[in-house]
Amino acid sequence: MIECSDLAGKVVRSITLFEDGRYGPEIIIDFQDGSSFNACLGVKMTLEAKWTRDEGGQPQVLKDYTTPAIPS
């Protein structure tokens, strides 16, 4: 379980679900303050989750919640 307490109380602008994202199912939550949260199941069975802010160019990672890889 990963607790994303930094996101509590934020106002959601939109939620987008992708059945076939980069590595499989993905969710993107855009907030009113211009930040966004995305999560997907990555290769090697990791949960990739990041809170970012996009101000043009490369998005700035505010916090990375990605879990470590499970050894195979």
Side-chain angles (χ1 to χ4, degrees):
M1 181 182 102
I2 300 171
E3 185 174 340
C4 304
S5 57
D6 303 294
L7 307 177
K10 293 201 164 291
V11 178
V12 174
R13 183 178 60 208
S14 67
I15 298 175
T16 308
L17 302 171
F18 295 95
E19 186 175 334
D20 191 20
R22 258 190 340 218
Y23 303 114
E26 183 173 10
I27 183 171
I28 299 175
I29 303 170
D30 291 316
F31 300 106
Q32 283 296 116
D33 68 359
S35 64
S36 63
F37 175 80
N38 75 310
C40 67
L41 185 61
V43 293
K44 298 186 181 181
M45 298 305 294
T46 59
L47 177 61
E48 296 182 9
K50 292 182 182 175
W51 177 32
T52 60
R53 179 177 308 279
D54 190 353
E55 296 174 344
Q58 185 73 6
Q60 174 189 6
V61 176
L62 301 174
K63 187 156 186 180
D64 188 340
Y65 299 95
T66 301
T67 60
I70 298 171
S72 45

